[in-house]
Each structure stands twice: as structure tokens, then as C-alpha cells.
Amino acid sequence: MPIKSVDGDLSQNFMEPPDYAHEPPPMSALQDLLFAQFQSKDLLKKAERAGQAYLDGVFDRNAAPSQAAIQSLEAFDEALPIQTTNGEDILDQLINLGSPATSAQIGGRYFGFVNGSVLPVALAARQLAGYWDQNAALNVMSPISAKLEAVAESWLCALFGLAEGSVAGFVSGSSIANLSGIAAARWRLFHRLGWDINRQGLAGAPRLRILISAQAHGTVLKMIGLLGFGTDNVEILPVDAQGRLCAAALPPLDERTILILQAGNVTSGAFDDFENIMPLARAAKSWVHVDGAFGLWAALAPSTCHHVKNMESADSFATDGHKTLNLPYDNAVIMSSDSEALRAAFHSMGAYIQKSGGRDGMFLTPEMSRRARGVEFWAGLKFLGREGIAALVELLHERAKEAAKGFRAAGFEVLNDVVFNQVIVADGKNTTKLMEAIQSEGEIWLGPGQWFGRDVIRFSVCSWASRSRDIERAITAFTRARHKIMNDNSRGE
Ligand SMILES: *Cc1c(COP(=O)(O)O)cnc(C)c1O
């Protein structure tokens, strides 16, 4: 089916052969235009003004875009222009159609997934780094990016109490950070068995064991599949009622075992039992990878740090910057005390690759070309400092507890112990209807989940901007939605 649009039909992009006979405008005209755009700076100023106007409204508007705004996105379904398009028009299209169709994730009433807001200084640093247009692959490409990555690396490793010599690679998200940690584990355990996984591959390799909990995040299984282990070959361990893996559920461990633990269950926020598991894993010389996408930061606040006791002795750690730390999107880190394994997993060569004495980020990550994420990480960490990070974690935890208390007082079920920032809410048989009513009203936004076979609502506090009154508005939205459902039922709809 062709994609219908206002101005035409997208399928024509594929149906018409390219018009090579058509003479393009002179190259110099394009170059002149681009220079003129940077010289006048009109486009950049326009985008900056629009961004600032967006900020003025976004903390008060609904968390969800309206149906009309989403409907209007159809205007983007147009054929690729033949000629260059006026830059101002492009920005107008984004401002007029794009801005209203955003989810107000930057605000304080977006409780879906585990999506954070953004720290102003990190946003500003990103804007500046955008002008720099740095490629962070190698030190020789971008000395400033290499420097800020190196500083952020040392700060992060110190913050989490990792062993001397630990390293960090800056990646897009915890999906890739999980991939990176498991790839390092794979290299190390095979290496110990005299097998070079990079050269010899998996066919005919000695067998490794992979242990995960029944509540491991979907990206963990995805990456296990991608690394060739086969998800059928994973041993899945049972969890307790909070979704925690406890030491008692572990089979005997050995030096061929990759054990993947979780700091922050994506539904309940729960933490695996690091305190009792880590000594067993250390004694057995297993590799422990921690998926701590949002929960790793619990280590840094007084009221939550007991959940991750002994976690620092694991071998690799995945965590996002764009969740708990409230950095802009596309920011995460893989940390490991085994720098040799991480580097070996991402070894890469090429006659044109110029190594330097400095930090070459591409040897710690799957990608080569990357944007300079270290700029945002560095700015966010420097702004908050140790105490600011602790305060941010405490704030998210405190708001989640307020929410749980409010939901219970309003007669809703809360199914988990609120140990971090996640609250699991249900309302008898009406849970899904309730969630849909809340979503369609749009004042707050949150999404569904499954909890031990039950449909539930996941309520995640991950934004620095969530105030007590935003939590109150959320509880009111729940109550309003419940009344609406009751009214609809009594009218026989
Ligand atoms: C969000 C999340 C991931 C995936 O992280 P991305 O940044 O979305 O790639 C993995 N594990 C857990 C526990 C998460 O919450």
C-alpha cells in the first residue's frame, strides 16, 4: 500500500528511476549556500529560539501529545524533493508539526518506561558539542572528546568504587553497554580456556555457561543472541516475589560461567542479592556482568546504597546516563575492571587508524565513529558532583514512595516494595482500561507491564522535574480515569 500524504505518495520514491540526465545545479552554488547559512546563522538562531520557546511551555503542558498533533505528522509523508529546500521552511515544519507531537519527557509528569528528563547544563553542553561536530573514535580525531571521556571515566569508576585500572566506554544505551560487557566476558572466559573467540569463533568452542534471572531485561537476552550463544542455551534462574535473584537460587558457579545480575528491575526496581552472590561468584572465578541501566546509581545515595552492597566487585557494569542521571538521550557507559578483555573484545585494525598515547575510545566500544558523548557525561557529573547525584537519586526514590502512598490511599493496589524509583500499580480487573483512559487523557503518561502473569501499570519516576504536585496530579489522573470507567460502565457502554 502506498503511504498517503498531503503532498504526494512516498512510493513514488521507489517507482521512479533516478533522473541522471537531469543536470544538478553547479557545485559552487551548493557550497555558497552552505557558507551563507553558517554566516548568517539564521537557521541556528531560529532553532535556538524555538527550543527555548518549547521549554517555556513544556513543564506545564500534557505529558502526551494530542491526537491532533500526532495526526498532523502525516504532513511529513512527502516524496524526497528534487531540488534543495529552503532551510527556514524545514525548521518551520519541525517547529510547527514536530514540537507539538513530542512527548513531554523533559517535564515532571512523564512516568513511562524509565525515561529521564535532561539537566540544563548537559543540554547546553550537547548544543555546544553539536557545533564542534567531533568524531570521538580516536584521540587524534578529537583531543577534547578524548580528554573529557578520560576524565568522566575516572570520575565514574571512582564514584562506583571500581578497582584501580577500571575503564569505561561511552556508548548509546544500556543495550549496547550490555552487549559490550557480555562480549568482554566472552573474550576473557574463552581466553582462559585457550580459545581465541575473535579468530576461532563459536563453532567447536568449549562451552560456557550463561546464567540470568527470570527477570533479566529483554536487551540482555537480545545481546546473548547477537553474540551467538543462543538464548536456548541460557540457564534461567528463579526470582523472589520482588523480582530479585537470591543467592539460594544459584547453581554451583565455576570459571566457565557468565553470571548476569541486575541492579534495578525494570518493573519493580528491585536489586539482585549482590551482597550474598558476589562472594560466591568471586570464589568460583565466574564473570559477573551487572545490568544497572538505571539502578546502578542506587550505590550513590544513603537511603538506597545498601541494595548494592558488594556490587563493585563485579567484572563489568552497564548503565545509562539518559535515565537516572538525566543526561540527554543516547548516553550510556560500559565499565569494566578487566580493561584487557574489553579492549580485546573491541580490537580493531586498519592501516589508517592512528593510535596515540592518549585515549582512543573506539577500542572500548563496538562502534568506530561516535559523537562526543563524553562532553555531556562530563558536564552532568561536574555539575551535580557527588552530593548532587545523591540528591537526585534520593529525589526520585522519595517521589516514588510518595506516589505509592498516594495510590494506596486512593484505593489502588501497589504490588511492589518501592525500593527505588519504580511503582507497580493495579486496579483489580480494570488495570488495562485504567491505563488506557489515563493515556488517552494525556495529562500524565505511563505504560503497561506484566508482573507474575498480571497486567499492571508501570509508574517510573526518573525526571529531576517531578515535584510533589506532579505526583499529586498523577494520583488525581488515576482517580479521574477510574470514575470515567465507572461512569461508562453504568451507562452500559
Ligand atoms: C532501559 C534498560 C535497558 C536498555 O537500555 P537502553 O538505554 O534503552 O538501551 C537495559 N536494562 C535495563 C534494566 C533497563 O532499564
Side-chain angles (χ1 to χ4, degrees):
M1 250 213 18
I3 303 167
K4 283 281 165 235
S5 75
V6 179
D7 292 333
D9 176 346
L10 273 190
S11 60
Q12 83 187 57
N13 280 335
F14 304 100
M15 279 150 50
E16 279 180 14
D19 181 8
Y20 292 121
H22 185 88
E23 270 298 309
M27 289 181 288
S28 60
L30 178 62
Q31 202 167 37
D32 290 347
L33 172 64
L34 295 172
F35 272 119
Q37 286 179 343
F38 266 143
Q39 262 150 18
S40 78
K41 306 184 186 74
D42 287 343
L43 295 175
L44 300 161
K45 286 180 203 154
K46 189 179 176 89
E48 200 55 42
R49 272 197 309 274
Q52 288 171 13
Y54 181 79
L55 283 183
D56 287 339
V58 74
F59 292 97
D60 297 311
R61 62 160 255 216
N62 276 1
S66 69
Q67 280 308 312
I70 296 171
Q71 199 64 38
S72 301
L73 293 177
E74 282 185 2
F76 284 97
D77 296 331
E78 54 189 341
L80 177 67
I82 302 291
Q83 289 164 339
T84 54
T85 307
N86 182 299
E88 302 262 346
D89 292 348
I90 291 173
L91 286 180
D92 280 332
Q93 194 173 355
L94 285 175
I95 295 162
N96 298 331
L97 299 173
S99 293
T102 55
S103 300
Q105 291 186 37
I106 202 170
R109 277 175 286 106
Y110 189 92
F111 303 106
F113 306 95
V114 192
N115 282 352
S117 176
V118 66
L119 302 172
V121 71
L123 173 59
R126 185 195 194 91
Q127 306 281 83
L128 179 58
Y131 284 91
W132 292 349
D133 191 33
Q134 297 291 283
N135 185 337
L138 292 166
N139 185 32
V140 290
M141 286 183 186
S142 178
I144 176 60
S145 168
K147 173 56 77 183
L148 295 181
E149 280 195 2
V151 173
E153 170 185 73
S154 74
W155 287 353
L156 285 164
C157 293
L159 270 174
F160 290 109
L162 307 192
E164 191 75 31
S166 293
V167 290
F170 292 85
V171 294
S172 57
S174 283
S175 306
I176 298 300
N178 281 332
L179 173 85
S180 306
I182 303 167
R186 187 178 75 154
W187 184 87
R188 172 56 71 201
L189 298 203
F190 276 131
H191 184 72
R192 274 193 214 145
L193 294 166
W195 189 265
D196 183 339
I197 182 63
N198 293 347
R199 283 195 306 111
Q200 295 171 280
L202 278 174
R207 213 176 154 85
L208 300 183
R209 294 168 74 200
I210 303 188
L211 307 182
I212 67 171
S213 90
Q215 286 279 329
H217 193 267
T219 57
V220 169
L221 274 168
K222 173 173 167 173
M223 297 311 164
I224 287 169
L226 204 54
L227 287 164
F229 287 115
T231 51
D232 283 356
N233 301 321
V234 168
E235 292 171 56
I236 298 179
L237 309 175
V239 291
D240 74 2
Q242 296 299 320
R244 268 184 308 232
L245 178 64
C246 300
L250 282 183
L253 303 174
D254 58 30
E255 71 286 349
R256 293 180 172 219
T257 302
I258 301 173
L259 172 62
I260 300 174
L261 299 180
Q262 183 160 252
N265 179 300
V266 79
T267 308
S268 70
F271 297 83
D272 289 345
D273 180 11
F274 292 97
E275 183 171 6
N276 293 305
I277 293 175
M278 285 314 305
L280 301 174
R282 288 285 63 100
K285 298 193 164 59
S286 301
W287 181 291
V288 178
H289 171 73
V290 181
D291 176 6
F294 63 95
L296 208 71
W297 303 86
L300 307 176
S303 71
T304 53
C305 61
H306 61 284
H307 295 302
V308 292
K309 188 154 183 243
N310 289 342
M311 181 179 74
E312 68 285 352
S313 63
D315 300 274
S316 55
F317 306 82
T319 195
D320 277 317
H322 54 224
K323 289 180 179 168
T324 310
L325 195 59
N326 279 240
L327 296 184
Y329 277 96
D330 189 14
N331 266 308
V333 68
I334 171 67
M335 294 177 283
S336 179
S337 54
D338 191 340
S339 69
E340 185 191 17
L342 192 62
R343 283 177 208 280
F346 298 126
H347 180 73
S348 169
M349 284 189 308
Y352 71 104
I353 289 175
Q354 191 188 335
K355 291 193 189 178
S356 65
R359 180 195 164 87
D360 292 323
M362 68 174 275
F363 300 119
L364 296 164
T365 58
E367 312 99 325
M368 184 171 177
S369 297
R370 287 174 303 130
R371 54 182 203 88
R373 300 188 176 101
V375 181
E376 290 146 42
F377 248 105
W378 170 85
L381 291 171
K382 177 159 180 163
F383 166 72
L384 288 169
R386 262 178 199 272
E387 288 183 359
I389 295 169
L392 177 57
V393 173
E394 294 287 352
L395 178 125
L396 304 180
H397 181 42
E398 198 51 45
R399 293 287 181 265
K401 286 192 291 183
E402 282 171 28
K405 200 167 158 212
F407 287 133
R408 285 203 173 103
F412 298 98
E413 301 165 77
V414 172
L415 303 184
N416 65 317
D417 296 341
V418 180
V419 292
F420 200 52
N421 65 333
Q422 305 290 112
V423 188
I424 307 176
V425 195
D427 190 23
K429 291 197 182 74
N430 284 331
T431 303
T432 302
K433 267 193 189 162
L434 185 76
M435 186 203 67
E436 287 165 0
I438 295 168
Q439 282 186 345
S440 70
E441 192 199 56
E443 183 182 9
I444 70 167
W445 203 91
L446 36 64
Q450 281 273 322
W451 192 239
F452 293 100
R454 244 187 113 171
D455 290 327
V456 296
I457 299 175
R458 293 177 62 261
F459 186 91
S460 174
V461 187
C462 200
S463 165
W464 64 262
S466 291
R467 296 157 295 191
S468 291
R469 65 170 185 270
D470 295 305
I471 302 298
E472 283 158 22
R473 281 171 74 174
I475 294 158
T476 314
F478 269 70
T479 309
R480 228 175 17 243
R482 177 153 68 188
H483 284 148
K484 182 178 180 299
I485 293 167
M486 283 178 347
N487 286 343
D488 290 353
N489 285 348
S490 65
R491 272 188 275 130
E493 279 171 28

